[in-house]
Amino acid sequence: MPHDEEQFDTLPETIVDALRGLDGPAVLPDAERDADVLSGARLHLATRPPNRKRRNLKLFIGGSVGGGLAAAAMLGVAFILSDPNADEGLPMADLAEQNTLPTLAEEAPNSQSLTAARGDIDGSGSIDILDAYALARRLEQGQAGELDLNNDGQTNQRDIDWIANQVVALNSGEQG
Amino acid sequence: MIKLFLAITMVGLLIPIAPGGNPEHAAPKRSITVPKPDDPGSGLPPGAIQTQTTFATIKITIDPLGKPLGAYQFQLTSPDASFKVLGVEGGGHPAFDHGRPPYFDPVVREAGADRLILAEYALPRLDAEQLPSEPVLIARVAVLFDQPIDADEPPAINLLLTTAGDADGNKIQANLSHTLQIPERPE
């Protein structure tokens, strides 16, 4: 664009007048007119039907943010659960040991099963209904001792049920 | 502890987001109308049953071969047809009458399954003389097969004994057998 000082002299008079008017004092609405405009706007907004597109946009944005948070949370949980021993530094063997209770066979001096799983009352090396039966007979004789399998602080019928429900669970891996 | 706190916090974030959402965005509910035989225009004769499932009752008997039966555990499978368990009852022998059915996984009542594990022990106060040593009915299982089944060609039912024990909890040998009953459909 060429620099021509005379180009500004060719502006239409209307524009020149309008530009000159900008230098004058500002014209502000009085308080009464301001209040009228404000109340009119409020009335308009109150009676206007909901803008579906705007609501959908809000939902889309909200869903996106929520989905992002959910994904981040799931990733965080997966990361935390992926290394459960990190805090305590326990090897898996120690954790497995924590999940066992002494069996009746272990209590007996002639026990041959010292690594039986939790609920292996008869020390057979596996958990089946015979363990529930053994615990039931021990309870009947008042010799159940400290065999609180379901961690409710007591040794009672619920511990028998705990064993029995373990052995019939379809996700127990038993295939016969 | 810090990781546990983080896990709980993140799960807390998930809870308000996961369920429901805006009802306007929910999938439209569908309804299926099944014509009843007695409805005019249904095209079905009165009394007809239109079904792709088959109700059946399986009665299971165990023979402890002369030894007192103190407990049993077995698996029932149906390799040809999956089924849903509608109910389980004991066999009625007083030695196994706990006032409840034998133990089984209740998940088989909610979803189709191709196997069922049943287990029970005798009342612990009973002596060996009070336990059954002859063949005894131990369970009645009402099932709903997910396919039409002809009573003349019943599906295979396999029973596999996991364990059985005597009055002292010692393992014993036993034989399982069953009968499958399919009620006749009304004509």
Side-chain angles (χ1 to χ4, degrees), chain B residues 10-91:
Chain B
M10 290 179 176
V11 170
L13 280 174
L14 285 173
I15 291 174
I17 295 171
N22 187 6
E24 291 182 9
H25 288 229
K29 293 182 179 178
R30 295 179 180 176
S31 61
I32 299 174
T33 302
V34 179
K36 298 177 180 178
D38 297 331
D39 288 345
S42 66
L44 299 173
I49 296 177
Q50 189 179 37
T51 178
Q52 295 297 313
T53 59
T54 304
F55 174 81
T57 303
I58 306 170
K59 293 183 178 180
I60 298 126
T61 299
I62 188 169
D63 181 2
L65 305 174
K67 299 284 182 63
L69 180 66
Y72 64 82
Q73 177 183 336
F74 66 92
Q75 179 174 262
L76 181 154
T77 57
S78 175
D80 301 329
S82 65
F83 56 84
K84 182 185 293 184
V85 173
L86 302 178
V88 176
E89 295 179 359

Side-chain angles (χ1 to χ4, degrees), chain A residues 42-114:
Chain A
R42 284 176 176 162
L43 180 63
H44 173 72
L45 291 175
T47 57
R48 191 177 63 166
N51 188 336
R52 193 175 188 84
K53 288 183 177 178
R54 185 172 297 176
R55 290 186 61 190
N56 288 342
L57 179 62
K58 286 182 180 177
L59 288 171
F60 173 75
I61 294 173
S64 300
V65 173
L69 286 174
M74 290 177 68
L75 284 174
V77 170
F79 171 74
I80 290 169
L81 295 181
S82 65
D83 191 9
N85 301 335
D87 278 348
E88 291 78 15
L90 291 175
M92 290 304 292
D94 289 345
L95 290 178
E97 189 173 330
Q98 286 182 353
N99 198 31
T100 60
L101 285 179
T103 66
L104 294 184
E106 287 172 333
E107 294 174 347
N110 295 330
S111 169
Q112 295 181 352
S113 174
L114 298 178

Side-chain angles (χ1 to χ4, degrees), chain A residues 8-9 11-25:
Chain A
F8 300 109
D9 296 337
L11 284 173
E13 283 299 321
T14 53
I15 295 178
V16 172
D17 290 340
L19 290 172
R20 283 176 181 156
L22 290 177
D23 293 335

Side-chain angles (χ1 to χ4, degrees), chain A residues 55 59 66 70 73 76 80 87 128-130 133 136-137 140 157 160-161 164-165 167-170 174-176, chain B residues 1 3 10 14 17 22 25 72-73 75 103 105 108 115 117 121-122 124-125 160 162-163 165-168 171:
Chain A
R55 290 186 61 190
L59 288 171
I80 290 169
D87 278 348
D128 52 33
I129 194 64
L130 296 182
Y133 188 37
R137 288 186 290 116
E140 181 71 17
Q157 178 64 42
I160 302 172
D161 295 338
N165 287 325
V167 303
V168 300
L170 292 181
E174 178 188 346
Q175 297 294 329
Chain B
M1 286 301 293
K3 290 194 172 182
M10 290 179 176
L14 285 173
I17 295 171
N22 187 6
H25 288 229
Y72 64 82
Q73 177 183 336
Q75 179 174 262
Y103 290 99
D105 192 338
V108 298
R115 66 191 183 110
I117 301 173
Y121 59 88
R125 66 173 180 272
L160 181 64
T162 307
T163 191
D166 63 10
D168 296 323
K171 289 191 177 183

Side-chain angles (χ1 to χ4, degrees), chain B residues 166-184:
Chain B
D166 63 10
D168 296 323
N170 300 314
K171 289 191 177 183
I172 60 172
Q173 298 293 320
N175 294 332
L176 288 166
S177 60
H178 80 281
T179 58
L180 177 67
Q181 295 179 333
I182 300 175
E184 290 186 9

